[in-house]
Amino acid sequence: MEAEAEKAPRHVGVTCSHCESVDFEGVRWKCLECPAYDLCGTCERFSSLLHPTTHSFLKLARPGPVPNLGVFLPQATPSDPPPLSHDDSDDGVDFVALPDTASIQRMPTKRELFRLLEEEERKRFSPRIQALYLEAESDPGKGRDWLTVTEQMQADLVREFGFGVGAVQLLRRAAIMYKDDPAFQNVSVYVRENRARAGNLRTGDLAPDVPLLTLELVETSTGTVFGTGQRPVVVVAGSYT
C-alpha cells in the first residue's frame, strides 16, 4: 500500500494577525517584539506593509511552544477602530504625510482591508470627492491633480477608522497582494475596469497597425506614422484622459 502523504503541520490555536486564518498550515512567523502578533506564510510575504520593519520575526516551521527568548517588549495596546460604516455628510480630506512602511499604529486585517476598499469606492464616487477631482483638474496651476485628491482621501479614510496612515499602502497594493481573490479584483473601479493586458507580441514580431489619436485629435495609425519599412521602431506612448 502506498504510504499516505505527510500532511502539512497545523499551528493549532494560532490565528494569523492579518488574514485571520485559524490553525493554519505551513510556517508560522512570530514577532519577537510583540506578545501577540503572528503571520502565516502567505501574509509574511508582505509583512513590511503590515508590521514595523524594525521588528524581527521567528520562523516556526513546526507546531509547538514558542521558545522563551526573553525579547518581547512592552507594547502600547491601540484602541479598537470604530465600525467600518460611513457618513454621507463627511467626505472631506486632510493633508497627511504617508510613511513608506507600516507604522506602529494598528493596521487592518485582510477582512478590514476589504471593507476599507468598499468604503474607498463609495467615497471616490461621492459628490464631494468628484467635485474635488473636477476642481483639481480644472486648475493645474494650483499644483494639485486627481492623484493628489485621491491620496488625501485615502489617508483621511484610514485615519477615520483608527488605522495607521501606513494602511494607505495596503489599499494601493491590495489587488496585487490578493491577485487570485475575485473579491479584491472587483471591489475597486481602477482594478475591475483596467483593460491593460500583457498581450502576445514578442520581440521581432511584425507590429500591428494600431489606431492612434494625435494631440490635435486627428485620427491616424501606427502604419501611417511610422510606415511599413524594415527599420527598427521604438514607440513611447501614453494615455490621454
Side-chain angles (χ1 to χ4, degrees):
M1 180 181 294
E2 189 174 317
E4 183 178 350
E6 183 180 356
K7 295 182 179 180
R10 285 187 175 275
H11 299 272
V12 178
V14 180
T15 300
C16 176
S17 297
H18 180 62
C19 72
E20 301 179 294
S21 295
V22 180
D23 302 342
F24 56 83
E25 298 179 348
V27 176
R28 171 189 177 189
W29 294 86
K30 174 73 176 176
C31 179
L32 292 177
E33 300 184 54
C34 297
Y37 193 90
D38 297 273
L39 292 176
C40 65
T42 299
C43 294
E44 187 276 335
R45 293 179 301 171
F46 30 83
S47 61
S48 62
L49 296 172
L50 306 174
H51 208 59
T53 55
T54 54
H55 288 199
S56 298
F57 280 82
L58 177 66
K59 181 179 180 180
L60 300 170
R62 308 291 299 183
V66 178
N68 184 10
L69 302 180
V71 294
F72 294 117
L73 302 178
Q75 296 290 324
T77 302
S79 58
D80 290 334
L84 287 171
S85 59
H86 64 75
D87 179 357
D88 290 328
S89 64
D90 182 17
D91 285 316
V93 293
D94 296 324
F95 289 88
V96 178
L98 302 180
D100 292 331
T101 56
S103 72
I104 204 68
Q105 296 173 300
R106 186 178 186 277
M107 301 294 285
T109 63
K110 180 181 179 180
R111 172 176 51 86
E112 292 167 333
L113 176 59
F114 182 77
R115 295 173 68 189
L116 279 172
L117 287 168
E118 290 182 312
E119 179 63 7
E120 179 200 26
E121 183 79 347
R122 187 200 67 81
K123 282 184 175 287
R124 184 185 297 272
F125 288 100
S126 68
R128 171 66 172 166
I129 297 299
Q130 288 295 309
L132 289 173
Y133 283 148
L134 179 60
E135 178 185 356
E137 293 295 331
S138 298
D139 189 359
K142 291 184 177 180
R144 300 179 66 200
D145 57 19
W146 70 271
L147 287 173
T148 308
V149 174
T150 299
E151 179 180 276
Q152 295 166 5
M153 178 264 290
Q154 291 172 333
D156 182 65
L157 173 64
V158 299
R159 291 198 313 168
E160 178 183 347
F161 295 114
F163 299 112
V165 292
V168 170
Q169 305 299 342
L170 289 180
L171 286 176
R172 297 173 181 173
R173 292 169 169 81
I176 298 175
M177 292 165 59
Y178 305 111
K179 60 183 179 180
D180 296 324
D181 189 325
F184 278 86
Q185 297 304 306
N186 288 285
V187 65
S188 301
V189 64
Y190 51 86
V191 178
R192 67 173 180 267
E193 299 298 336
N194 183 6
R195 297 295 182 259
R197 297 293 182 270
N200 56 7
L201 289 176
R202 298 292 182 268
T203 301
D205 287 352
L206 182 65
D209 193 16
V210 179
L212 298 176
L213 191 65
T214 70
L215 294 179
E216 292 76 27
L217 304 183
V218 176
E219 293 183 358
T220 183
S221 69
T222 52
T224 301
V225 174
F226 303 112
T228 57
Q230 298 300 313
R231 61 177 183 170
V233 175
V234 177
V235 179
V236 180
S239 61
Y240 178 79
T241 302

